[in-house]
Amino acid sequence: MTPPARFQLSPRARLLTPEAPGLSALLKGLEAGSSLHARQTGGEPLLLSDEARQWLTCESTGTSGPPKTIRRSPASWIASFELHRTLLGVSEADTHATLGALGHSLTLFATLEALHLGAGLAALGGASPKAQARALAAHRVSTLYATPAQLRLLARGAKAAGLTLPDLKRILSGGGKLDAALKAALEELCPEAEIREFFGAAETSFITLSDAHTPEGSVGRAYPGVELRITEGAHEVPQGETGEIWVRSPYLFEGYAAGDAPETRWQGGWLAIGEMGRLDAGGHLSLRGRKSRMVTVADHNVFPEEIEAVALGLPGVTLAAALTLPDATRGTSITCVLEAADDPGLEPRLRAACRARLGAASVPRRVVVLARMPLLPGGKPDLQRLARDLEATP
């Protein structure tokens, strides 16, 4: 079935938090068929405009680059809404919840999916983690879209409130690595929930989706309708080797309405966004990190994202950011910034874990522990601000 050309509002949709910022504008836009522009900063999270063809534009504030505005057709998201009826079993009987601001593309996707399918919607962005946990329980939410950072805070808030969430049937997590410690916490908090990690970007929408058979460390196999290939230069790499990820699918964006990204490139219907990874024999994708963040330390390629994943697996660490600085001896040195409680044993545990899992070149030369990590509007660490702060405090 061909997806409709415009977003539609099901008459069966139920708004459980109608006062949430941006929702009234969104409903007005859906009723009028307006184009939708989601903003992460600068006032109202959603702007409407009249165009002959409906468009969706979302702002993307990258962790280390300038903001971009992604332009996509409604059909590229609606195709996933319809697919999720069968793939995930979502329906009008479900209640969706989001934990972020409407200007974030993951939150907007989940919101529009609930309204399209006629499900209930609890928009909980801006509430404290403890209040979010209480609302999830009170509204008997069955479907939750969230980033790993949001889920870590939710798990902590629910534990403080003495709550479990047995009504949750499915958790879809993207925008960061879902580590083993967080998975274990979610399994305890939501014992009936199927936890599905996905990999994607604002430019691509879904690329992969995990299931119960996904190996540890992988983000799953290609999402239905998606084709993947891994290349180095003009050639595909052998199975299991690292290269740049290229995607072809019906869910890709139309282009940038503002800003640009040199690592985003089209080639014969395939799109690369500067992500590096490898595929195993079963088609499972494992991510290494962004091509632009890869550095050479002591003649070894190091991906800061892998160091961050190791750090997030340590007890007590809520957020992690690995930054690279010039080093006269090693070429580059790594500083790892952690959001965690003060613990003298944390730094040696991180160094030992990085050495064991990633090798000596990936061991941080410096570890900084903060009570609170500076974040971008989408919830990821603000690497540019951290770099400035580190330069000011050598």
Side-chain angles (χ1 to χ4, degrees), residues 40-59:
Q40 293 194 5
T41 58
E44 288 295 322
L46 195 74
L47 300 177
L48 310 177
S49 63
D50 294 325
E51 297 187 51
R53 178 181 174 186
Q54 188 183 47
W55 292 98
L56 170 68
T57 53
C58 300
E59 293 180 359

Side-chain angles (χ1 to χ4, degrees), residues 196-213:
R196 306 289 293 266
E197 181 179 9
F198 67 86
F199 165 57
E203 291 90 343
T204 64
S205 195
F206 290 93
I207 295 176
T208 65
L209 184 66
S210 73
D211 59 25
H213 306 292

Side-chain angles (χ1 to χ4, degrees), residues 6-18 22-31 36 46 78 81-82 85 90-92 94-98 102 107-123 145:
R6 290 179 177 269
F7 291 115
Q8 298 174 354
L9 173 63
S10 169
R12 294 179 294 277
R14 308 177 306 283
L15 290 182
L16 306 177
T17 53
L23 273 187
S24 60
L26 178 58
L27 294 178
K28 178 182 177 182
L30 292 178
E31 291 170 353
L36 311 175
L46 195 74
I78 294 170
F81 302 163
E82 292 297 333
R85 293 184 192 271
V90 295
S91 72
E92 62 187 58
D94 284 292
T95 296
H96 283 43
T98 60
L102 194 60
T107 301
L108 184 58
F109 177 94
T111 299
L112 287 168
E113 179 177 271
L115 299 177
H116 175 86
L117 297 177
L121 174 65
Y145 281 85

